[in-house]
Amino acid sequence: QVQLVESGGESVQAGGSLRLSCSASGDTWSYYCMGWFRQAPGKEREGLAAIFTPDGTTFYSDSVKGRFTISQVESTLSLQMNSLKPEDTGLYYCAAGRGGSCSPQAHFSYWGQGTQVTVSS
């Protein structure tokens, strides 16, 4: 089993920056792909970014490319978010998995509880 705990979510004004963290524990050897997801009110969960942990290759959705950066240091996954927009508001989750190729659309087996980000205009 893998446990994931997100932190860093808060309220911020449009144009600002925020850094989310996700601490992984347990069987961290059992996955090779980690990702960040967002669920906005009334919308489906959206994959934002993923990282192939063996070599650090990153993948981004078009909605965050150039603004968000995913990174990993040991058992901590991070998401640096710059130039935030009101539409970035939502509950942000980190996830880990090992099925198929790594991307924001991959299958993830383990999920955190989420951290809330609110961007005001």
Side-chain angles (χ1 to χ4, degrees):
Q1 289 294 318
V2 175
Q3 293 79 43
L4 302 171
V5 180
E6 302 94 337
S7 62
E10 60 181 72
S11 296
V12 64
Q13 288 197 329
S17 297
L18 208 55
R19 187 175 184 88
L20 305 183
S21 295
C22 172
S23 177
S25 60
D27 298 334
T28 56
W29 53 266
S30 65
Y31 58 82
Y32 56 73
C33 184
M34 297 191 77
W36 284 100
F37 295 76
R38 174 176 67 209
Q39 186 155 24
K43 295 188 177 181
E44 291 187 357
R45 189 169 59 198
E46 174 189 10
L48 304 176
I51 185 167
F52 182 61
T53 56
D55 66 8
T57 302
T58 57
F59 308 88
Y60 297 94
S61 68
D62 289 342
S63 63
V64 303
K65 194 177 297 181
R67 298 190 299 125
F68 291 11
T69 302
I70 188 172
S71 60
Q72 182 200 22
V73 176
E74 296 184 345
S75 61
T76 299
L77 183 73
S78 298
L79 186 68
Q80 177 66 41
M81 305 187 294
N82 299 326
S83 303
L84 283 163
K85 306 174 182 179
E87 52 263 43
D88 292 320
T89 294
L91 191 60
Y92 283 68
Y93 300 89
C94 71
R98 61 174 292 125
S101 59
C102 187
S103 78
Q105 291 75 42
H107 172 73
F108 291 86
S109 301
Y110 305 105
W111 294 84
Q113 294 299 307
T115 185
Q116 178 67 36
V117 172
T118 302
V119 183
S120 58
S121 58

